Amino acid sequence: MSITRPRGFRAVGLPAGIKAGGTADLALVVNDGPRDTAAAVFTRNRVQAAPVLWSREAVADGRARTVVLNSGGANACTGPDGFADTHRTAEHLAAALEISAQDVLVCSTGLIGERLPMEPLLAGVTAATQQLGSGPEADEAAARAIMTTDSVPKSAEATTPSGVIVGGIAKGAGMLAPQLATMLVVLTTDADVDAATADAALRAATATTFDRVDSDACMSTNDTVILLASGASGISPSLEELTEAVRAVSADLARQLVADAEGASHDVHVIVRSASTEQAALAVAREIARSNLVKAAIFGNDPNWGRIVAAAGCVPEEAAPFSADDLSVTVNGIEVCRGGGAHRDRSEVDMTPRETLIEVDLGAGDATGDIWTNDLTHDYVEENSAYSS
């Protein structure tokens, strides 16, 4: 189970006819309360889809009762008509649930630039409200309905020491890059918390999980992570306790996003140590993670440390001060570069495991930062060259 494991939630996923082929493409998550606390974070892309614009306004008061999500169309770059479609969707669901449209959050994912087919979508919303349930089947159905190029549904859950439960579902398999990723994530908890606490927990959790996934340096127009709190447990955990549980679920989902990245054959963990600040470490880690030369080398099972140090050197000195003569690189436990030059033979590195660990020591301080990415494969090119066909 995942999103309905916390008390006070129901969910459903079903085919509404938005996507061809009769696959599931519409999901609902409903918070039955007694609380209707909500928080959300969104893409920082300047081009934002209509559902992002709507949901950003709707969640501003820290309240929401439900989330409706569709795959098969992003409803991005569709102008005023696209926003009207989002508004109409929220109004339609609100009427069915007898709540305010301002308590409805909307998420969409799929191809940019095309209007959604509103007649089947709204009919699907009506059908979904009549099929809401809880348990593993409802959770998996909702997780499957939001998939686009994902190969598997993604879900996770955690329980705090005080007994509060956090669950979550996510979609995303490409365009994974801060801020957030090409992903939709719904997190639920039965914690009895106010909006300020939920917002603080969510932002702290995403900062060290979803914001550190960087598959291909591409930022989506629809990225959304929502946290709903029902208060049904009657337990009010501390901010620290709630944050840790939200972080645990977010970290689990973030790793699942990397593992399902389009065409990837390696999951790559880049850790930069001995930096002047955490931000400096993250800047270097992100530069390495975004290097197509590094990613292609990993696809070819080549621990080419020269490409790694070259990528590190692309970071401006003001962002990450270090000396090239102090750089060291370890790949899968073998230190192939020390003091800016060759050390152990790269042939000693075993590149066959799915997970590749790149550790870079800058010799410039005590701070550490890390990024998850993946390699660049032929399948990634094939997947994204034919996405709209």
Side-chain angles (χ1 to χ4, degrees), residues 186-209:
V186 179
L187 305 171
T188 59
T189 180
D190 50 20
D192 185 4
V193 293
D194 60 20
T197 301
D199 184 74
L202 180 64
R203 292 180 185 278
T206 56
T208 57
T209 56

Side-chain angles (χ1 to χ4, degrees), residues 9 50 70 80 115 141 150 154 166 181 193 214 230 238 263 274 325 386:
F9 290 95
N70 76 269
R115 297 272 303 278
D150 306 68
K154 302 167 180 69
V166 177
V193 293
D214 200 326
S230 69
S238 67
S274 303
D325 293 334

Side-chain angles (χ1 to χ4, degrees), residues 4 20 31 37 66 79 86 91 145 200 245 343 365:
T4 67
N31 177 3
T37 300
T66 185
T86 295
E91 292 278 5
H343 189 50

Side-chain angles (χ1 to χ4, degrees), residues 301-324:
N301 292 325
D302 178 10
N304 191 330
W305 62 267
R307 293 182 177 181
I308 296 170
V309 297
C314 291
V315 179
E317 184 174 3
E318 58 269 24
F322 63 86
S323 169

Side-chain angles (χ1 to χ4, degrees), residues 122-372:
L122 296 180
V125 168
T126 299
T129 61
Q130 299 167 357
Q131 299 178 37
L132 287 160
S134 60
E137 291 185 3
D139 290 355
E140 182 171 353
R144 285 191 178 278
I146 62 176
M147 292 167 55
T148 50
T149 58
D150 306 68
S151 65
V152 293
K154 302 167 180 69
S155 63
E157 65 176 77
T159 303
T160 74
S162 67
V164 163
I165 303 169
V166 177
I169 60 171
K171 67 78 50 179
M175 287 180 72
L176 300 177
Q179 290 67 15
L180 302 187
T182 181
M183 62 187 178
L184 303 181
V185 180
V186 179
L187 305 171
T188 59
T189 180
D190 50 20
D192 185 4
V193 293
D194 60 20
T197 301
D199 184 74
L202 180 64
R203 292 180 185 278
T206 56
T208 57
T209 56
F210 295 119
D211 277 352
R212 296 194 182 182
V213 171
D214 200 326
S215 175
D216 52 17
C218 296
M219 188 193 304
S220 173
T221 56
N222 291 60
D223 308 334
T224 303
V225 181
I226 294 167
L227 173 62
L228 304 176
S230 69
S233 70
I235 302 169
S236 298
S238 67
L239 173 59
E240 293 74 17
E241 182 180 3
L242 179 62
T243 298
E244 184 52 39
V246 176
R247 192 193 317 275
V249 172
S250 298
D252 191 335
L253 292 172
R255 277 290 286 112
Q256 291 181 55
L257 295 177
V258 170
D260 197 28
E262 292 164 342
S265 62
H266 291 82
D267 305 337
V268 185
H269 193 191
V270 182
I271 304 176
V272 175
R273 310 185 195 278
S274 303
S276 57
T277 64
E278 182 181 17
Q279 290 307 308
L282 289 173
V284 174
R286 200 175 303 284
E287 191 73 28
I288 294 168
R290 289 181 168 184
S291 167
N292 283 340
L293 287 176
V294 172
K295 292 157 80 71
I298 294 170
F299 170 57
N301 292 325
D302 178 10
N304 191 330
W305 62 267
R307 293 182 177 181
I308 296 170
V309 297
C314 291
V315 179
E317 184 174 3
E318 58 269 24
F322 63 86
S323 169
D325 293 334
D326 293 330
L327 281 174
S328 297
V329 177
T330 300
V331 180
N332 285 350
I334 304 298
E335 190 178 21
V336 287
C337 168
R338 177 183 290 179
H343 189 50
R344 293 176 63 176
D345 194 291
R346 70 183 66 184
S347 64
E348 297 180 48
V349 180
D350 181 7
M351 295 292 290
T352 58
R354 170 79 188 200
E355 189 170 306
T356 298
L357 175 61
I358 296 174
E359 299 171 276
V360 177
D361 192 299
L362 299 181
D366 300 318
T368 299
D370 71 311
I371 297 289
W372 278 95

Side-chain angles (χ1 to χ4, degrees), residues 59-83:
V59 81
D61 62 359
R63 300 172 59 237
R65 278 291 182 188
T66 185
V67 184
V68 54
L69 311 96
N70 76 269
S71 56
N75 195 5
C77 301
T78 49
D81 289 338
F83 188 83

